[in-house]
């Protein structure tokens, strides 16, 4: 299965060979694990990678229900779906984004940003719909009721495993996509923030709060990257950025409000506020303050970067307007001088007076 057109062959295990064929290599490893399901001796090991672990069966009003909790075996599952994500990344790039790029004829820098926005739009769309499906955003009280939320339904646990797989997969993609050195710190910055918040929500059993906050964050980020895609297609599309700017600020305000409501007030009123690792209860004052500080610091930092960018952009636009006015005034003055000098020579030339 080839994901990229080979214009040139490279020596085996060379850097260019690995970059050009990384999706095929990962695909072969995935097939090897799937083949392991066919044999009894390797089936248990293969299932460890493919299927979420730590399931328990409980009785409910609807009958027997299978629930899940987390453990160290989740690392194997995240690793497997990290490889799946690398393959899907290559598929979207080869069969969607590259075809659009050939029609747009973008510059190299714009081409890189277009690919980044295209990949993230697909991920944000799927993830936001997935997190919205749970419906916790419509019932805010469910964010802290019956805490700790140790036992998760299959699609909730699988959501968090795929989230971790996606953001971990972006680290090797920095190498595979040959990202410029000056761009790497910026990407490592936001990838680290996503991993920190997702892991905190997963390990501290704040999965319901995490689902709602990720939905709001992904919806806002999808608006930005959609605006950037439309801008690359037609540079006259500026109004979408203005709409995104309003949505960005509203998202920060809603995120902070929900965090104070769920963690600052909801969990603070809970009767059980003792640290208990066996039951998964992390509802203590110090952990609540740490979680609030982490989220508030991140949201404040995002707002600070946003307003700083907007101020610098406003200054640049003012300077451009002043430069245009000066250029127009200079051009008008030159035209006036030419007209005046032409009039002098027409009426005051010695040849005309003779």
């Amino acid at each position: 299965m080839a994901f990229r057109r080979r214009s040139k062959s490279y020596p085996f295990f060379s850097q260019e060979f690995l970059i050009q064929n990384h999706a095929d290599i990962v695909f072969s490893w995935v097939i090897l694990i799937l083949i392991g399901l066919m044999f009894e001796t390797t089936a248990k090991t293969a299932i460890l990678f493919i299927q979420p672990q730590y399931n328990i069966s409980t009785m409910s009003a609807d009958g027997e229900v299978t629930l899940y909790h987390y453990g160290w075996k989740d690392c194997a599952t995240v690793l497997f779906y990290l490889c799946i994500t690398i393959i899907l990344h290559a598929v979207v790039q080869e069969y969607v984004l590259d075809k659009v790029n050939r029609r747009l004829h973008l510059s190299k820098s714009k081409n890189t940003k277009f690919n980044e926005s295209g990949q993230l739009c697909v991920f944000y769309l799927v993830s936001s719909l997935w997190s919205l499906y749970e419906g916790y955003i419509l019932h805010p009280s469910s964010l802290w009721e019956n805490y700790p939320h140790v036992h998760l339904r299959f699609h909730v646990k699988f959501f968090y495993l795929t989230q971790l797989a996606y953001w971990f997969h972006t680290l090797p993609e920095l190498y595979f996509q040959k990202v410029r050195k000056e761009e790497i710190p910026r990407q490592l910055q936001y990838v680290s923030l996503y991993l920190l918040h997702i892991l905190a929500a997963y390990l501290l059993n704040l999965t319901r709060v995490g689902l709602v906050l990720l939905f709001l964050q992904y919806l806002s980020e999808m608006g930005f990257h959609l605006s950037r895609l439309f801008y690359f297609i037609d540079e006259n599309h500026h109004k979408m950025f203005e709409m995104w700017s309003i949505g960005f600020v509203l998202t920060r305000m809603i995120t902070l409000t929900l965090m104070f409501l769920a963690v600052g007030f909801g969990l603070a009123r809970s009767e059980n506020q003792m640290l208990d690792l066996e039951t998964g209860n992390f509802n203590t004052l110090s952990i609540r303050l740490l979680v609030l500080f982490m989220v508030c610091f991140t949201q404040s930092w995002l707002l600070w970067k946003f307003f700083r960018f907007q101020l610098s952009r406003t200054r640049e636009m003012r300077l451009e307007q002043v430069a245009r006015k000066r250029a127009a005034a200079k051009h008008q003055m030159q035209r006036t001088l030419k007209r005046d000098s032409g009039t002098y020579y027409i009426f005051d030339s010695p040849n005309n007076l003779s």
Side-chain angles (χ1 to χ4, degrees), residues 130 134 136 152-160 207 211:
W130 194 344
E134 296 304 318
Y136 293 127
L152 310 174
R153 287 174 289 181
F154 172 81
H155 44 275
V156 176
K157 175 164 183 173
F158 194 61
F159 172 82
Y160 275 94
T207 49
L211 280 169

Side-chain angles (χ1 to χ4, degrees), residues 103 108 174 184 214 218 266 280 285 317 332:
R103 296 183 179 182
K108 188 175 181 180
L174 296 176
I184 291 178
L214 283 175
Y218 287 164
L285 178 61
M317 291 178 64
Q332 184 67 27

Side-chain angles (χ1 to χ4, degrees), residues 330-340:
K330 186 177 180 180
H331 181 67
Q332 184 67 27
M333 185 179 296
Q334 290 176 351
R335 290 182 60 185
T336 303
L337 290 174
K338 286 183 180 180
R339 185 171 62 251
D340 292 344

